[in-house]
Amino acid sequence: MRAQMQMTETKTAALFQVELAKTADDLRKIQRLRYDVFVAELGGTGPHVDHAARLERDRFDDHAKHLMLRDLTRPSGQDVVGVYRLLTQAGAATAGQFYCESEYNLSVLRSGGKRLLELGRSCLHRDYRGGPGLMHLWGALSDYVGAHQIEVLFGVASFHGTDLDRVAAQLSLLYHHYRAPEASRTHAIGPTAQRMDLIPRDAIDRVAAMRDMPALIKAYLRLGGMVGDGAFIDHAFNTIDVCLILPTDAVPAPRLARLAKGKLHRG
């Protein structure tokens, strides 16, 4: 699975290539980018983070596929500028669970009889945010979903920081307007699970709340994504997480076509 084309970034021309990781060296580049974003930039940590080698990794990496965005104009050791981790049902079986089952009860999804794919560890190098990089990743993801007949995409998406008051409006907007139907609604679990309905529906400034929503969450919502019930405070990663659920048949056909071509633009 590979997509390659010439695109213009802010100051330089990037030659993008998207493909699945094949080698141990590919995986190390992916884990190094994740370290730069999740650890160095956002202050996360964890028992498997290798600070000496600057690698962010965990036990699920060996059971997952890794979609990586390369800029072939960069030096070979720094060419991976975007990543997505894909964990199939088969991969989750060998790992013992899906990654987000430490945060959410997924029984409604597991018992639904549909082909599931968990998305995780999505990030872009800071120099490629707001440009076409994410759209190229999503175009390749669309190819993978079609080839493997995936019916439901899901995974956690995050707000930076652990202050609930700071994101009360965004969480409440998600709860009141984007909560998944009960038949596919996951539920936050554990001692750091929190309610999302922190502000009454009619007291939310919807425009302001959506403006301040993380870009990745907004993008999923535009595609027809929904959220589970409850937020999860992840102190190790310094985030507040929500569980996003996207039935692939909910994506409007014109958007799916643009996504498959790497041309789904924000706005």
Side-chain angles (χ1 to χ4, degrees):
M1 175 171 53
R2 186 173 295 188
Q4 182 173 316
M5 66 177 62
Q6 186 84 19
M7 298 298 296
T8 301
E9 292 288 343
T10 304
K11 295 183 179 179
T12 62
L15 183 61
F16 284 139
Q17 181 187 83
V18 187
E19 61 184 340
L20 291 172
K22 299 181 179 69
T23 67
D25 185 57
D26 287 343
L27 184 55
R28 284 181 65 85
K29 291 179 182 179
I30 287 167
Q31 292 168 338
R32 186 168 295 118
L33 175 64
R34 286 174 11 192
Y35 184 96
D36 290 344
V37 174
F38 295 126
V39 181
E41 183 179 343
L42 298 179
T45 188
H48 301 292
V49 171
D50 186 337
H51 293 285
R54 298 182 65 85
L55 302 176
E56 192 283 307
R57 56 192 181 189
D58 67 18
R59 71 181 185 86
F60 293 92
D61 282 343
D62 290 339
H63 304 279
K65 305 291 185 183
H66 300 268
L67 196 62
M68 57 185 182
L69 174 71
R70 281 190 166 115
D71 177 357
L72 300 183
T73 68
R74 293 171 64 93
S76 62
Q78 305 169 33
D79 57 323
V80 174
V81 297
V83 297
Y84 243 123
R85 184 167 74 184
L86 316 180
L87 188 61
T88 64
Q89 286 165 288
T94 62
Q97 65 172 86
F98 285 107
Y99 169 82
C100 70
E101 281 184 289
S102 298
E103 303 183 9
Y104 284 86
N105 183 331
L106 303 182
S107 58
V108 291
L109 296 182
R110 281 189 171 275
S111 63
K114 295 187 176 182
R115 292 178 183 266
L116 307 176
L117 181 66
E118 182 184 48
L119 306 179
R121 291 300 198 273
S122 170
C123 65
L124 285 170
H125 186 287
R126 64 167 68 242
D127 293 344
Y128 294 81
R129 295 170 200 165
L134 180 60
M135 298 306 108
H136 285 284
L137 274 173
W138 277 16
L141 174 61
S142 178
D143 291 342
Y144 185 94
V145 165
H148 294 83
Q149 300 180 314
I150 301 298
E151 296 170 281
V152 178
L153 301 170
F154 70 97
V156 295
S158 304
F159 296 85
H160 180 50
T162 58
D163 182 355
L164 278 171
D165 291 338
R166 188 178 62 83
V167 295
Q170 291 91 338
L171 292 176
S172 300
L173 179 68
L174 292 173
Y175 177 89
H176 291 300
H177 295 281
Y178 295 99
R179 202 162 43 133
E182 190 172 349
S184 58
R185 188 183 303 160
T186 59
H187 293 268
I189 57 175
T192 65
Q194 301 288 331
R195 292 177 60 176
M196 298 172 66
D197 54 335
L198 304 175
I199 299 175
R201 177 192 291 259
D202 57 4
I204 301 170
D205 182 338
R206 291 189 62 176
V207 173
M210 187 58 76
R211 181 190 63 227
D212 296 333
M213 194 79 68
L216 184 62
I217 296 179
K218 282 194 284 192
Y220 279 116
L221 297 180
R222 292 191 182 104
L223 286 173
M226 304 166 287
V227 299
D229 199 1
F232 183 91
I233 299 180
D234 186 339
H235 290 289
F237 263 82
N238 191 32
T239 59
I240 296 172
D241 298 340
V242 294
C243 184
L244 281 166
I245 304 151
L246 177 62
T248 56
D249 62 7
V251 182
R255 281 183 175 253
L256 186 62
R258 293 198 299 274
L259 177 64
K261 295 176 182 178
K263 297 180 180 178
L264 180 62
H265 297 291
R266 290 159 59 179

